[in-house]
């Protein structure tokens, strides 16, 4: 029975009354729910007007809503019902009935039978313009990121319930998930002890009887008619009283000629959101997939599809949603996963071609400079460092820009490799820039490298070497308008008293260069945000006219309008904080420098290939000799006292300790102390007799610098810190790293923190405090206790938490993989091979047969760089 306009007006009146009564569920004698149930049953899935259907959806469960929900939903329902009586803007979109609902027949027949043709659907049609999908439902899908038809095609189920085993009732197995097709013989409702109503539907086939039980859905009662054939899927159990077989809360649907949607097959299960119910969502998706999948064009060239043995796209989409069987799901996944990998591979390989497509600077290897460098280094290079340098030196001799990733665990000595590389660029008359993720790290690089490199002679006289850059060679005299202060220190404008104090400290810890080579050594400058305007200009001029050889700073080095005289090498420290666009920007400045990207985040191999597929890779897989294993323990907060005893013992032995606190939101303050609070607590309650300091990200860089220098000089025993100490800072006397709220950090990050200790000769410790005892946390923290291999830890974290969490929200450029599994290296390699094959013929994807693919790749990367 279909609803008449009079009935709808009546419904509207009742809702208005409910409003007037203040939503007390008293507008009808037995409550709204019961009243609407009547509607639902009368219509039996065949409602004519979407707003009515919507109203029923919205108000299902009205009896248990709180007042706010009631108010909101009744309001929406009334609005949409009223819209029915307004003149429709265009006849095409006004309440077109879906043939599926009225005729209960296959969708394929719809075109011929639809009385009012809707605007033709395309893949980009917004969901709320589709007949039969109400505003509310469309809104709910939108919350899931599904706005259009194509979005819905790619909104895959997160699992499938296997209801494919169909049996006769007599053969049902107790405990198994089964499906039966049977005839309804009786329908009964009864009250449950817990309150609410249960519904028993008795069904039978020629082999026996079965009882289906539904809870708290009284309106279902009238959907089952005695004599009707229905399909039931669910778990078969034994009724404890009568020993009768039953099936509780099964999925069900009427048995028709239609393809089964909710039962009797692999049934897709989706992630849902408020206002969206599984059955409803599934039915809508089914309709859309049936109509839209055939409209999709397969962007994969036929030859690639055949070589890689892949299913056609349309078929894969259908099988992902409503698979024929498990094997088909796997094949569909393989096809769509391949595509994702292929987009990534095409993107990164194209970038690599682009990066290396133009001429770079072929450097002459300056052996004497390298030997001088080695002689001045206070240690011998490790085998791994030597190997990495060999690879790098090969690269920079070529007339194309190097694009190399140097991966090495914390403390593996990446800086020395960077310095040796920079020396080669500088010895060839170019400038080198080192970019650090934070100012504090930039300053540490600056101090360390300046000390080392000013000792290395790169000039023969007090003026520059001849032939530094072609322009300058032509100009003859160096164009220096900058009077450099002695020893090339660009920070001369600071408050003299403060500088003297810092210098004292530096001298104390051996950070001042012992000899000044009268400017014959490498000239190093630090460009940082806190420079005064005048100093800043001076540094910038030095960079622009070639008076500076090595520039150290943060991203500002390329994002700001820094002009270089002859930039030949860029070193990027800690790549995971560094986007792709920044790299491009360098090129846009007219330089094709060699690029060395360094990261201590151990990146699992698959991820390297996916995200950094545009980089060649060197790995420092060997730590410098004499490093000790850091004893790591996970404790709960109740054991904190023990940890404090340990800290005290270490301090009494003359050692120092870090205490790291996660960043906390205001709302979480109850459970987790912030670094500031921890600092107060430790300094005044726990260790009033010890020297406790605080460092956090919001402090001005100069203050941070001062705290770090003082801590290094052992003016403090305990340093309380936020994640700012994650990278780089070297304090060999620190032996304990205590991390609060450890579960909040990624394993790679915890591993980095841990790498802050164990840098000297003393046994070192890492204590992880966490009370979160769920399985994943347990596995992760136990992994920290047992494993010191950063790569292994990264893989574990990736497995346990997936790539998004692995990188944290700040990471941009992490591909959003919906289907592909990063662990599927075989598929990744297949995609890699095909990407290479495609680009060999058509590096810019300009051939007409690649047009669709090109668009897809671009869309994929646009989406990817939006993240983070
Ligand atoms: P990371 O790879 O974490 O950046 P660093 O470059 O900061 O590591 O090096 C960590 C420490 O190890 C520094 O104190 C550095 O001087 C020292 N170091 C680097 N290479 C060697 C080596 N071959 N032998 C001994 N110590 C080394
Ligand atoms: Mg480093």
């Amino acid at each position: 029975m279909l609803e008449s306009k009079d009935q709808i007006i009546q419904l509207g009146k009742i809702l208005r009354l409910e409003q007037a009564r203040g939503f007390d569920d008293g507008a009808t004698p037995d409550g709204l729910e019961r009243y609407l149930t009547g509607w639902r049953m009368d219509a039996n899935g065949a409602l004519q007007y979407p707003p009515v259907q919507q109203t029923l959806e919205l108000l299902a469960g009205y009896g248990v809503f709180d007042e706010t929900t009631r108010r909101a939903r009744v309001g929406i329902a009334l609005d949409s019902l009223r819209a029915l009586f307004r003149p429709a803007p265009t006849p095409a979109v006004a309440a077109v009935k879906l043939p599926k609902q009225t005729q209960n027949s296959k969708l394929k027949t719809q075109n011929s039978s639809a009385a009012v043709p809707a605007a033709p659907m395309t893949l980009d049609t917004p969901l709320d313009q589709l007949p039969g999908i109400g505003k509310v439902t469309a809104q709910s899908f939108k919350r899931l990121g599904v706005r259009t038809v194509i979005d819905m095609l790619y909104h895959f189920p997160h699992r499938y319930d296997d209801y494919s085993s169909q049996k006769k009732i007599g053969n049902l197995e107790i405990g198994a998930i089964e499906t039966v097709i049977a005839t309804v013989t009786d329908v009964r409702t009864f009250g449950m002890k817990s309150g609410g109503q249960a519904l028993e539907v008795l069904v039978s086939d020629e082999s026996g009887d079965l009882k289906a039980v539904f809870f708290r859905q009284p309106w279902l009662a009238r959907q089952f008619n005695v004599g009707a054939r229905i399909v039931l899927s669910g778990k078969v159990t034994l009724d404890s009283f009568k020993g009768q077989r039953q099936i509780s809360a099964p999925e069900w649907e009427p048995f028709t000629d239609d393809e089964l949607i909710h039962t009797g097959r692999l049934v897709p299960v989706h992630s849902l959101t408020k206002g969206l119910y599984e059955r409803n969502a599934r039915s809508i998706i089914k309709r859309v997939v049936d109509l839209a999948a055939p409209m999709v064009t397969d962007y994969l060239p036929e030859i690639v599809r055949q070589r890689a043995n892949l299913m056609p796209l349309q078929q894969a989409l259908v099988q992902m949603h409503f698979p024929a069987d498990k094997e088909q799901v796997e094949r569909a996944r393989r096809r769509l996963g391949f595509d994702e990998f292929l987009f990534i591979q095409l993107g990164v390989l194209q970038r690599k071609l682009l990066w290396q497509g133009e001429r770079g600077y072929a450097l002459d290897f300056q052996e004497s400079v390298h030997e001088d460098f080695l002689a001045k280094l206070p240690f011998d290079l490790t085998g791994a460092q030597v190997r990495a340098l060999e690879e790098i030196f090969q690269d920079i001799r070529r007339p194309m820009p190097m694009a190399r990733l140097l991966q090495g665990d914390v403390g593996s000595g990446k800086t020395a490799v960077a310095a040796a590389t920079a020396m080669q660029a500088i010895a060839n008359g170019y400038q080198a820039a080192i970019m650090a993720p934070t100012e504090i790290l930039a300053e540490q690089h600056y101090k360390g490298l300046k000390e080392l490199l000013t000792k290395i002679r790169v000039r023969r006289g007090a003026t520059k070497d001849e032939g530094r850059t072609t322009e300058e060679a032509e100009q003859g005299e160096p164009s220096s308008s900058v009077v450099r202060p002695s020893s090339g220190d660009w920070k001369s404008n600071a408050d003299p008293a403060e500088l003297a104090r810092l210098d004292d400290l530096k001298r104390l810890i051996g950070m001042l260069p012992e000899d000044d080579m009268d400017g014959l050594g490498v000239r190093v400058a630090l460009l940082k945000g806190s420079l005064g305007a005048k100093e800043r200009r001076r540094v910038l001029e030095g960079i622009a006219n070639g008076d500076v050889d090595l520039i150290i700073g943060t991203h500002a080095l390329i994002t700001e309008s820094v002009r270089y005289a002859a930039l030949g090498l860029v070193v990027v420290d800690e790549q995971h904080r560094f986007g792709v666009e920044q790299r491009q920007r360098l090129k846009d400045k007219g330089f094709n420098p060699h690029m060395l990207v360094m990261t201590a985040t151990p990146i699992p191999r698959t991820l390297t290939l996916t995200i950094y597929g545009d980089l060649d890779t060197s790995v420092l897989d060997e730590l410098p000799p004499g490093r000790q294993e850091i004893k790591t323990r996970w404790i709960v907060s109740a054991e904190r006292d023990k940890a404090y005893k340990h800290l005290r013992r270490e301090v009494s032995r003359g050692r120092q300790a870090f205490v790291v606190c996660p960043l906390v939101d205001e709302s979480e303050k109850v459970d987790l102390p912030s670094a500031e609070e921890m600092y107060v607590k430790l300094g005044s309650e726990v260790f009033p007799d010890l020297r406790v300091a605080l460092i956090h990200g919001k402090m001005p860089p100069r203050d941070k610098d001062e705290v770090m220098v003082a801590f290094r000089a052992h003016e403090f025993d305990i340093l309380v810190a936020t994640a700012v100490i994650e990278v780089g800072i070297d304090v060999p006397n620190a032996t304990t790293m205590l991390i609060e709220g450890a579960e909040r950090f990624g394993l790679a990050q915890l591993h980095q923190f841990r790498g802050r200790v164990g840098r000297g000769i003393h046994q070192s410790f890492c204590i992880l405090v966490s009370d979160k005892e769920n399985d994943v946390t347990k596995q992760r923290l136990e992994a920290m206790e047992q494993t010191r291999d950063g790569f292994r830890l990264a893989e574990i974290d990736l497995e346990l938490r997936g790539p998004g969490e692995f990188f944290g929200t700040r990471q941009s450029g992490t591909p959003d993989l919906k289907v592909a599994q990063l662990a599927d290296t075989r598929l990744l390699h297949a995609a890699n091979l095909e990407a290479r094959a495609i680009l060999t013929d058509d590096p810019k994807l300009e051939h007409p047969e690649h047009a669709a693919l090109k668009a897809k790749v671009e869309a994929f990367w646009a989406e990817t760089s939006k993240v983070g």
Side-chain angles (χ1 to χ4, degrees):
M1 191 193 95
L2 299 179
E3 67 276 30
S4 70
K5 289 242 162 171
D6 283 347
Q7 282 176 309
I8 295 172
I9 291 168
Q10 179 65 21
L11 175 59
K13 278 187 181 156
I14 286 172
L15 293 184
R16 295 254 309 280
L17 177 61
E18 179 68 9
Q19 256 180 347
R21 296 178 59 104
F23 308 97
D24 67 348
D25 202 9
T28 54
D30 302 319
L32 264 189
E33 175 134 21
R34 161 85 33 121
Y35 173 77
L36 295 174
T37 300
W39 272 75
R40 218 178 261 120
M41 288 182 302
D42 289 345
N44 200 13
L47 290 166
Q48 184 177 4
Y49 299 105
V52 176
Q53 190 190 346
Q54 232 178 63
T55 302
L56 298 187
E57 264 172 36
L58 268 172
L59 301 180
Y62 191 82
V64 295
F65 291 165
D66 59 24
E67 199 209 303
T68 330
T69 313
R70 286 180 180 179
R71 179 190 305 279
R73 295 204 174 188
V74 168
I76 300 173
L78 273 171
D79 282 348
S80 63
L81 291 178
R82 281 191 197 109
L84 266 182
F85 295 91
R86 264 181 238 129
T90 60
V93 276
V96 178
K97 63 185 182 187
L98 261 191
K100 170 91 184 169
Q101 293 171 311
T102 53
Q103 301 177 340
N104 215 10
S105 66
K106 292 205 176 188
L107 276 163
K108 288 163 193 110
T109 63
Q110 83 142 10
N111 288 342
S112 53
S113 67
V116 191
M121 184 183 86
T122 69
L123 293 174
D124 297 322
T125 303
L127 291 185
D128 53 9
Q129 287 175 24
L130 293 184
I133 300 186
K135 270 218 170 62
V136 176
T137 308
Q139 201 60 39
S140 301
F141 272 113
K142 205 165 159 186
R143 273 200 290 276
L144 296 170
V146 181
R147 286 157 210 277
T148 61
V149 169
I150 187 83
D151 291 347
M152 187 167 272
L153 273 182
Y154 280 87
H155 177 62
F156 299 126
H158 63 77
R159 67 179 164 90
Y160 307 89
D161 282 339
D162 188 354
Y163 295 143
S164 56
S165 151
Q166 269 185 45
K167 290 201 181 139
K168 291 288 171 209
I169 291 176
N171 299 333
L172 291 180
E173 216 177 292
I174 307 292
I177 308 280
E178 311 262 34
T179 295
V180 292
I181 300 169
T183 306
V184 177
T185 55
D186 195 9
V187 182
R188 295 191 294 244
T189 51
F190 59 91
M192 292 184 295
K193 267 185 244 140
S194 55
Q197 288 214 309
L199 173 69
E200 276 186 12
V201 179
L202 290 179
V203 298
S204 69
D205 64 11
E206 62 276 15
S207 68
D209 301 324
L210 176 71
K211 184 171 73 182
V213 190
F214 299 87
F215 305 102
R216 290 178 212 282
Q217 292 162 279
W219 63 84
L220 275 181
R222 289 184 50 196
Q223 298 199 8
F224 296 103
N225 298 320
V226 172
R229 299 245 282 159
I230 62 171
V231 193
L232 289 162
S233 286
K235 187 168 175 180
V236 180
T237 55
L238 214 51
D239 178 323
S240 42
F241 292 121
K242 300 175 196 152
Q244 191 184 11
R245 269 174 301 199
Q246 69 173 30
I247 189 163
S248 292
E251 286 286 346
W252 75 279
E253 61 195 308
F255 180 71
T256 63
D257 291 343
D258 279 350
E259 198 184 332
L260 293 174
I261 301 179
H262 308 291
T263 61
R265 61 175 310 143
L266 286 181
V267 174
V269 182
H270 302 89
S271 42
L272 297 170
T273 176
K274 224 173 108 204
L276 207 56
Y277 303 95
E278 182 62 60
R279 271 177 89 89
N280 192 21
R282 196 183 287 140
S283 305
I284 292 172
I285 292 172
K286 175 77 170 127
R287 295 202 303 262
V288 169
V289 169
D290 282 349
L291 286 171
M295 297 164 65
V296 172
T297 39
D298 199 337
Y299 39 76
L300 217 53
E302 183 62 25
I303 170 103
V304 173
R305 216 167 59 62
Q306 280 176 3
R307 257 196 316 243
N309 184 24
L310 299 165
M311 196 182 243
L313 182 59
Q314 298 88 338
Q315 195 183 336
L317 290 171
V318 170
Q319 291 300 323
M320 278 302 279
H321 284 284
F322 294 93
D325 55 43
K326 284 183 180 157
E327 197 202 320
Q328 293 296 311
V329 184
E330 274 326 300
R331 294 205 55 209
R333 280 190 171 289
R334 188 162 178 281
R335 161 67 211 251
L336 294 164
F338 177 93
D339 289 6
E340 287 175 345
F341 280 145
L342 183 75
F343 302 153
I344 294 175
Q345 294 300 301
L346 285 172
V348 293
L349 290 173
Q350 271 189 301
R351 279 213 299 262
K352 183 170 183 174
L353 286 175
L354 208 70
W355 179 261
Q356 303 199 321
E358 284 161 62
R359 279 192 77 76
Y361 318 114
L363 305 182
D364 281 338
F365 179 62
Q366 304 279 328
E367 184 150 15
S368 61
V369 171
H370 187 54
E371 272 172 6
D372 194 11
F373 171 82
L374 293 181
K376 300 277 167 38
L377 258 191
F379 44 75
D380 291 333
L381 292 180
T382 64
Q385 284 168 320
V386 171
R387 281 191 296 278
L389 277 174
E390 275 166 8
E391 289 166 345
I392 290 169
F393 291 160
Q394 292 277 337
D395 285 356
I396 59 179
R397 284 179 176 133
R398 296 200 192 106
M400 57 160 78
M402 166 169 77
R404 186 167 284 277
L405 177 70
L406 180 63
Q407 280 183 281
D409 217 337
V410 205
S412 58
K414 293 184 290 295
T415 320
V417 173
T421 310
M423 282 314 304
Q424 288 303 313
I426 294 164
N428 274 268
Y430 290 100
Q431 291 170 307
I434 298 184
M435 270 180 276
T438 62
E439 290 225 337
I440 193 164
L441 197 64
E443 296 197 22
Q444 185 177 301
H445 276 322
Y446 170 69
K447 285 162 190 162
L449 290 174
K450 198 171 114 181
E451 184 198 355
L452 177 67
L453 301 186
T454 41
K455 293 184 212 157
I456 296 169
R457 187 180 292 266
V458 283
R459 262 168 297 273
R460 277 186 227 114
T463 55
K464 278 170 287 184
D465 223 348
E466 66 273 21
R468 283 177 57 79
T469 68
T470 38
E471 291 108 306
E472 281 187 11
E474 278 155 22
Q475 282 165 14
E477 264 306 285
S479 55
S480 170
S481 58
V482 179
V483 185
R484 280 193 298 116
S486 68
S487 83
D489 194 330
W490 299 89
K491 294 172 52 177
S492 59
N493 262 17
D495 167 14
E498 187 190 359
L499 262 190
R501 204 181 95 74
L502 273 178
D503 277 351
D504 275 353
L505 284 171
K506 287 180 193 165
R507 198 162 290 122
L508 200 69
I509 58 176
M511 279 170 58
L512 272 193
E514 50 211 55
D515 58 340
D516 179 354
M517 296 178 63
D518 278 335
L520 299 185
V522 174
R523 296 158 309 177
V524 187
L526 175 67
L527 189 70
K528 56 174 188 170
S530 54
L531 288 182
K534 209 166 146 196
E535 298 158 74
R536 182 175 189 77
R537 199 168 55 242
R538 195 209 285 271
V539 174
L540 287 173
E541 277 171 15
I543 298 170
N545 62 31
D547 276 346
V548 171
D549 303 306
L550 177 61
I551 304 102
I552 298 173
T554 61
H555 299 180
L557 284 191
I558 51 154
T559 51
E560 285 177 19
S561 50
V562 183
R563 284 178 45 236
Y564 295 89
L567 185 61
L569 169 75
V570 169
V571 179
V572 183
D573 201 2
E574 299 305 333
Q575 152 78 15
H576 65 294
R577 299 280 174 80
F578 204 83
V580 174
E581 318 88 67
Q582 280 112 324
R583 284 194 243 155
Q584 187 56 40
R585 213 170 298 206
L586 281 173
K587 267 184 77 159
D588 299 342
K589 282 180 188 279
F591 296 105
N592 267 332
H594 296 292
M595 180 177 64
L596 181 66
V597 170
M598 309 199 294
T599 181
T601 309
I603 305 160
R605 251 186 64 75
T606 40
L607 268 185
T608 318
L609 243 189
T610 51
I611 305 170
Y612 306 124
D614 51 342
L615 303 176
D616 300 307
T617 310
S618 299
V619 181
L620 297 183
D621 51 5
E622 179 185 350
L623 291 180
R627 293 279 157 77
Q628 312 222 4
E629 181 158 5
I630 299 158
K631 292 195 173 144
T632 303
R633 257 195 78 194
W634 165 27
I635 62 168
V636 294
S637 51
E639 299 171 287
R640 225 187 242 122
D641 279 352
K642 274 196 236 163
Y644 289 157
K645 268 203 196 107
H646 164 88
L647 246 65
R648 190 173 278 287
R649 199 164 50 236
E650 284 295 301
V651 170
S652 73
R653 287 176 181 155
R655 304 287 84 79
Q656 292 162 276
F658 294 103
V659 175
V660 172
C661 301
L663 283 177
V664 291
D665 291 343
E666 279 303 314
S667 62
E668 299 167 320
K669 283 261 161 84
V670 224
D671 313 323
L672 273 173
S674 66
E676 284 90 340
E677 286 162 351
M678 184 56 79
Y679 166 67
V680 171
K681 182 179 152 211
L682 292 186
S684 59
E685 289 171 33
V686 186
F687 304 118
D689 51 327
L690 303 185
R691 300 165 302 170
V692 183
L694 171 69
I695 187 168
H696 59 76
K698 280 178 246 135
M699 283 161 62
R702 180 160 292 177
D703 295 359
K704 280 194 274 190
D705 177 274
E706 210 167 327
V707 172
M708 274 323 297
V709 172
F711 186 63
R712 230 177 101 146
H714 205 164
E715 289 187 2
F716 297 104
D717 303 306
I718 295 172
L719 182 61
V720 181
T722 52
V724 292
I725 58 144
E726 177 187 349
V727 273
I729 293 146
D730 212 3
V731 184
N733 191 47
T735 52
T736 302
M737 168 63 63
L738 188 152
I739 303 167
E740 294 282 344
E743 79 281 351
R744 304 199 144 218
F745 298 102
L747 292 190
Q749 205 180 1
L750 287 176
H751 184 67
Q752 296 235 16
F753 289 144
R754 176 162 67 182
R756 296 301 108 214
V757 296
R759 302 203 142 210
I761 50 172
H762 310 288
Q763 174 62 54
S764 292
F765 308 87
C766 176
I767 304 170
L768 308 165
V769 186
S770 173
D771 288 337
K772 291 277 179 330
E773 293 237 15
N774 67 52
D775 272 358
V776 171
T777 301
K778 235 184 181 133
Q779 287 179 54
R780 296 176 66 238
L781 297 183
E782 279 169 9
M784 281 299 296
E785 290 183 323
Q786 284 151 19
T787 312
R788 61 187 289 212
D789 177 346
F791 278 85
R792 183 68 203 115
L793 285 171
E795 275 165 15
I796 292 172
D797 221 14
L798 189 62
E799 250 164 59
L800 290 175
R801 300 198 306 168
E805 289 275 340
F806 175 78
F807 278 109
T809 43
R810 283 180 62 186
Q811 170 69 9
S812 68
T814 314
D816 176 24
L817 299 178
K818 284 186 172 157
V819 182
Q821 301 282 312
L822 278 168
D824 194 347
T825 24
R826 272 170 66 189
L827 194 60
L828 176 62
H829 281 287
N832 179 271
L833 279 181
E834 291 303 331
R836 284 170 195 278
I838 292 170
L839 293 178
T840 308
D841 284 350
D842 184 11
K844 293 190 171 162
L845 297 179
E846 286 164 336
H847 297 178
E849 74 267 26
H850 292 151
L853 182 59
K854 182 184 166 116
K856 232 16 221 187
V857 173
E858 278 166 6
F860 180 87
W861 281 96
E863 198 54 40
T864 294
S865 49
K866 243 192 286 173
V867 185

